[in-house]
Structure formats: C-alpha cells, structure tokens
Amino acid sequence: MTTRKKKTDEVVVDVNDLHVTYDGRPILAGIQLKVFRGEILVIMGGSGCGKSTLLRTIIGAETPSRGAVKILGRDLLVLDEDGRNELRKRFAILFQSGALYNSMSVGENVALPLREHTDLDDEIIRIMVKMKLELVGLRDFEALMPAQISGGMKKRVGLARALALDPEIIFYDEPGAGLDPIVAGVIDKLIMDLSGKLGVTSIVVTHEMGSAFRIADRMVMLYEGHVVAEGTPQEIRASSNPLVRQFIHGEPDGPIPLRRSKVDYEEDLLA
Amino acid sequence: MKTLLRLLGMSVLDFLGYVGGLALLFVDGLWWMTIGPFRNKGRIRRGETFYQMEHLGVRSFGIVSLVIFFVGIILAFQMAYVLKSLGVTVYVANITGVAMTREMAPLLVAMVMTGFSGAAITAEIGTMVVSEEVLALETSALNPIRFLVVPRVMAAMLIMPFVTLIATYIGIFGGFFVGNVLLGIEAEKYIHRTLDALKYRDVVTGLLKAEAFGILVAVIACHEGFRVTGGAEGVGRATTNSVVRSIIAIIICDMLFTAFFFYFL
C-alpha cells in the first residue's frame, strides 16, 4: 500500500463541535471533522459508536443538539428550501440497503434524478442510465423491479442512482455490508476510481477493516461519540492507542468492553 | 381530579396538534398542486396520479358496488317496515333516493375507501419511511409531499365524486329492486317518485361530502405513513391508526356537514 496524501486543501465537509442526543442519551459528543476535496475518508467504529448517526446528521436527516455541519461551505439547516435542494443535488448517498424506490424499475430508479433535475431529452437520459448501470455492471437489469434483484444488486443500483447527477461528494453507509467479497471489492474499486479519476470526495462509514484500509486516504475512528483516532491508514495501523489496536485487530479483550450493560451482573441476577 | 383534568387537557392538545398536522400537510399538498408547478419547483406527477386514480377508483369499484347495492336493499326493507304500517309503502322510493344521495353513498364509499385505499397508502408510505426511501427522496432534493402526497390526495379529490355518483345509482337500484320486485311498486312509479323526491341540492351536498371524505382519507393515510417509526411493527400500527382515525374523522366531518346543510341549505 503506497502512501496517499490528502489531495487538496479545500474543505468540502466541515463538522464543527457536533452534539447529538437521543432522549437525553448523548450519541455524538463534540465531533470535529474536516473532509477535503477528492479524498476518501473512512469513518470506522463498532456498532453503536455513533458513526451512522454522524452520517445521518451530516446529510441533514438528524438535527444536532449543538454544533453545525457545513457541506460545500453551506449549512443545510440554515438554508431555505431552494438553497437546500440546490445543495442536495451536489452530493449523493448510498444507503445501506440501497433504498431503491420499490415502485419503480431499476432503470427508472437511476433515471429519476435526471428526469426531475435536468432538462435532458428522454433519449439522452436512456443512454445515461445505461452508462451509470454499466459502471456497476448491471446494464441488462434495467427493466427489473427492485423486488426481483438481490440485496447486493440493489446496492449497486443504489450506487448507479447516486452517481446519476455526477455529485461532488458521495456518502456511503456500510457499502460492503451484506455483499459477497467480489462485489464488495468491485464497489471498493469504484469508490477509488471515482476519487482518483473524477475527483469525487467519498465519505465511507464502515466497520469492515479490510475494505477500509484498502480504500482510505484518511481514517477516523469513533468511540462512544468521540473521535478517538485520526490519520492515514499507515498511521492508524501503527497507532499505539489500545482502542484502535483492539478494533482493527478485532480482539475480544481490550479497553472496548463487550458487555454494554451498566449494572453489575451478580447484582442484576440477585436483584 | 387534577390529573384527570391534565389528562383531558393533554388529549385535547394532542388532538388539536394532530388536526393541525393534517391541515399543514393538506395545505402543503395544495401548494404543490396549484402554485408549485408554476413557480418551476417541480411538476405534478401525472402518471402517478392516474395510477392512483385507477387504484382508488377503478379497483375499489367492485367492492363499492357490492356494498352499496346491498345497503340499498337493506335501506328499502327497513323503510318499508315502517311505511307499511302507515299504508304508504310507495314512499320507499322517495326515502331511499334521498337517503342514498345525501348520506349513505358518500359515507359508505368513504368507509370502503378507508379500508381499501387508506390502509394501502399508509402501509406503502410507511414502508418507504422504514426502508429509507423517503430519506433518499429528500436527500436527492425531491420533495416527498410533491412526490407521494400530491398524487394520492389529488387522485382522491378527482375520483371520489365520480365513484360516489355511480355508487348512488347502484344504491338506488338496490332500493328499486326491493320496491319493484319484492314489494310490487310499478317501475315507472318508483322511478318517478325517486326523481320527484330528489332535489338538485341533495346531489350537490352528497358530492361535496364525498369530496371532503376523499381528502380526509388520503391526507390521514399519508400523514400516518410519514409518522411511522420502528420497522414492520410500526407500519402495522400506523395502518390500524390510519383506518381508525379516518373513520372517526369521516363521521365527525359528516356530522358537521349534515348539521350545516340542515340549517343553511
């Protein structure tokens, strides 16, 4: 693995002192994060560490209790509807399950953003849909409905749809989860190509270490709502932080407890 | 006593909040139907609207006809039971005609719609919320109100008066069946009496009600769908809520309309 430096100094996503609370329980506690144009940033951490919440807050699906997120210099929560929509056209999300529109065929799913947000001819849209589907290797599946294709295929169609409007930033929520190793590898390669060839910024939330180290330019690790480590894959691999070491090596014993219950086991049994 | 009052106050507030939510959703939907398209914010999805009209109107037609035909029969029998003792069985025609047009057809069509389409709309939108499809719409700058609510509410607004009108005919025919075949009222006389009894305003008020009920069913169904939390179980709960609340809303609305028409029309 060769060292890759961050590609530019332009900050495209700026997370500043972000706090998110659910029913009084803090999920994110002061996240500080900058993402630079063209880089692939991997956000990793165990289940429940807040990485999905971080992603959802960045894209505007959750409201922070404190702090702010700026995407391409603008805050989704402050913009008016028009501004928000303009901004939303410049980034895309690959959801964990693909989130395809189940009432539309694969082709219509990919065509939808083009139909709704551009004035392109139907004929051109048809060609573009084929191109986007070819990127994920599913050109022949246009006419099928989401219910007729496998979970992995849904995800790939979801990626084709995310690419439809040529976004500047793509967020990936667990891109490899539930995929076989070959397809997961294809998606990893696609993420790297998009960044390397087109300068797309990628923010990848994952807990699959193999893929994370393969694609990342920079990694951050979350633990209990805090950023506990940040650096290039080399730096992370060489980290002496016991939290990081335990996580990347998948060791059952270490500072990260397996048991999440607060009450003492014996007391709980005898209560 | 104090807690009782507090509970009462809280449920009143909840109720008002809910009605407010419905009103907001409807106004938002109306905006996207009327002003939005002209401000270049996004067109109305015509294909989807037609699809929903087909779903609401055409596919529910069989069950609507069946129900309303039998209700026509029941109504005629019940009226005949009372009228026979007064020796004016022939009035079955007048009463069935008026009751069907003003009340039974709009009400029953709305009830059938609630179970047939309202539940389906809630389940569909709820599932979309759970599977992140609605979030995917929002994050791709597609307004879920324009995308999901407008076609459904608009379809209900466009199709309900027609379904109700046809249902009225079928219901009156059910009454005619009893009156003519079983009670021996001459066909010509029955039809003549029905037409005589019906005023223009009976038809108009019936259709006005149908329109209002259609909006209620569609808006409540969408609203409940968007409120879904917590997976498949949440979808089930929302679907039940949608049907129950629609029925209550329809009855309350019906009562208010009827009282209004009684005094002012």
Side-chain angles (χ1 to χ4, degrees), chain A residues 82 100 102 115-117, chain B residues 41 43 133 138 140 146:
Chain A
D82 285 344
L100 298 185
N102 278 307
R115 287 229 168 85
E116 294 287 337
H117 294 315
Chain B
K41 303 275 187 179
R43 40 185 187 265
E133 282 177 58
E138 276 178 356
S140 20
R146 172 172 79 86

Side-chain angles (χ1 to χ4, degrees), chain B residues 156-169:
Chain B
M157 289 170 79
L158 291 172
I159 204 85
M160 274 299 265
F162 292 102
V163 177
T164 306
L165 201 60
I166 298 170
T168 309
Y169 282 123

Side-chain angles (χ1 to χ4, degrees), chain A residues 38-134:
Chain A
E39 74 171 341
I40 301 174
L41 176 79
V42 169
I43 300 172
M44 55 180 185
S47 345
C49 71
K51 57 187 193 302
S52 290
T53 307
L54 176 58
L55 183 76
R56 291 175 63 88
T57 315
I58 293 176
I59 64 173
E62 309 278 349
T63 316
S65 50
R66 216 171 88 198
V69 176
K70 279 193 172 143
I71 300 180
L72 297 162
R74 285 184 215 112
D75 187 339
L76 272 176
L77 297 175
V78 204
L79 287 169
D80 63 359
E81 170 106 20
D82 285 344
R84 206 155 45 222
N85 284 340
E86 282 313 307
L87 186 53
R88 277 170 172 164
K89 287 177 202 167
R90 298 173 64 188
F91 67 86
I93 299 129
L94 174 60
F95 289 93
Q96 202 173 130
S97 60
L100 298 185
Y101 309 125
N102 278 307
S103 57
M104 297 180 192
S105 73
V106 164
E108 285 167 344
N109 260 282
V110 182
L112 187 71
L114 296 165
R115 287 229 168 85
E116 294 287 337
H117 294 315
T118 67
D119 296 324
L120 295 174
D121 239 36
D122 276 357
E123 188 55 25
I124 295 173
I125 290 179
R126 198 184 62 85
I127 294 169
M128 287 182 75
V129 168
K130 281 202 183 296
M131 285 164 61
K132 302 292 175 190
L133 283 172
E134 176 66 18

Side-chain angles (χ1 to χ4, degrees), chain A:
Chain A
M1 189 73 50
T2 53
T3 317
R4 276 177 293 178
K5 285 272 167 214
K6 75 182 182 206
K7 302 195 171 152
T8 57
D9 288 331
E10 187 193 346
V11 176
V12 288
V13 177
D14 187 359
V15 177
N16 191 11
D17 189 31
L18 198 68
H19 291 253
V20 174
T21 335
Y22 281 155
D23 307 322
R25 204 160 44 95
I27 306 294
L28 299 181
I31 301 276
Q32 206 76 30
L33 187 65
K34 279 184 168 50
V35 187
F36 299 96
R37 186 177 287 279
E39 74 171 341
I40 301 174
L41 176 79
V42 169
I43 300 172
M44 55 180 185
S47 345
C49 71
K51 57 187 193 302
S52 290
T53 307
L54 176 58
L55 183 76
R56 291 175 63 88
T57 315
I58 293 176
I59 64 173
E62 309 278 349
T63 316
S65 50
R66 216 171 88 198
V69 176
K70 279 193 172 143
I71 300 180
L72 297 162
R74 285 184 215 112
D75 187 339
L76 272 176
L77 297 175
V78 204
L79 287 169
D80 63 359
E81 170 106 20
D82 285 344
R84 206 155 45 222
N85 284 340
E86 282 313 307
L87 186 53
R88 277 170 172 164
K89 287 177 202 167
R90 298 173 64 188
F91 67 86
I93 299 129
L94 174 60
F95 289 93
Q96 202 173 130
S97 60
L100 298 185
Y101 309 125
N102 278 307
S103 57
M104 297 180 192
S105 73
V106 164
E108 285 167 344
N109 260 282
V110 182
L112 187 71
L114 296 165
R115 287 229 168 85
E116 294 287 337
H117 294 315
T118 67
D119 296 324
L120 295 174
D121 239 36
D122 276 357
E123 188 55 25
I124 295 173
I125 290 179
R126 198 184 62 85
I127 294 169
M128 287 182 75
V129 168
K130 281 202 183 296
M131 285 164 61
K132 302 292 175 190
L133 283 172
E134 176 66 18
L135 273 180
V136 297
L138 292 175
R139 187 164 39 82
D140 297 341
F141 292 76
E142 244 176 292
L144 293 183
M145 298 302 282
Q148 296 170 303
I149 59 178
S150 75
M153 287 172 163
K154 279 186 199 169
K155 216 161 196 173
R156 287 151 78 185
V157 176
L159 183 54
R161 187 182 67 187
L163 294 173
L165 291 176
D166 298 322
E168 295 164 49
I169 309 169
I170 305 180
F171 297 90
Y172 300 84
D173 190 5
E174 308 272 2
L179 300 183
D180 69 61
I182 300 169
V183 176
V186 169
I187 299 232
D188 283 350
K189 179 153 188 324
L190 211 54
I191 296 173
M192 291 196 285
D193 281 352
L194 286 168
S195 162
K197 292 177 186 159
L198 302 172
V200 175
T201 311
S202 303
I203 292 142
V204 185
V205 165
T206 185
H207 55 227
E208 298 191 15
M209 286 301 100
S211 150
F213 279 107
R214 233 183 351 260
I215 62 178
D217 292 318
R218 206 154 58 88
M219 308 171 100
V220 295
M221 183 175 156
L222 293 192
Y223 179 65
E224 292 191 333
H226 297 276
V227 174
V228 290
E230 186 192 334
T232 62
Q234 286 72 28
E235 286 164 0
I236 294 288
R237 222 189 278 274
S239 169
S240 58
N241 185 333
L243 285 169
V244 177
R245 297 196 63 81
Q246 187 194 351
F247 188 76
I248 62 176
H249 295 118
E251 289 157 359
D253 294 314
I256 304 176
L258 169 69
R259 298 182 182 82
R260 309 297 293 262
S261 21
K262 301 263 189 282
V263 184
D264 186 67
Y265 187 38
E266 246 174 74
E267 265 177 36
D268 204 12
L269 286 179
L270 297 172

Side-chain angles (χ1 to χ4, degrees), chain B residues 67-125:
Chain B
V67 167
I68 207 78
F69 180 70
F70 290 144
V71 169
I73 291 177
I74 295 167
L75 196 62
F77 270 130
Q78 296 286 26
M79 291 305 130
Y81 169 76
V82 179
L83 294 169
K84 199 162 71 179
S85 62
L86 301 171
V88 282
T89 318
V90 73
Y91 273 93
V92 165
N94 309 40
I95 295 177
T96 308
V98 172
M100 201 45 85
T101 312
R102 288 181 66 108
E103 183 61 50
M104 298 314 275
L107 184 66
L108 283 163
V109 168
M111 292 289 172
V112 172
M113 284 292 179
T114 303
F116 192 85
S117 310
I121 290 174
T122 305
E124 192 188 358
I125 295 183

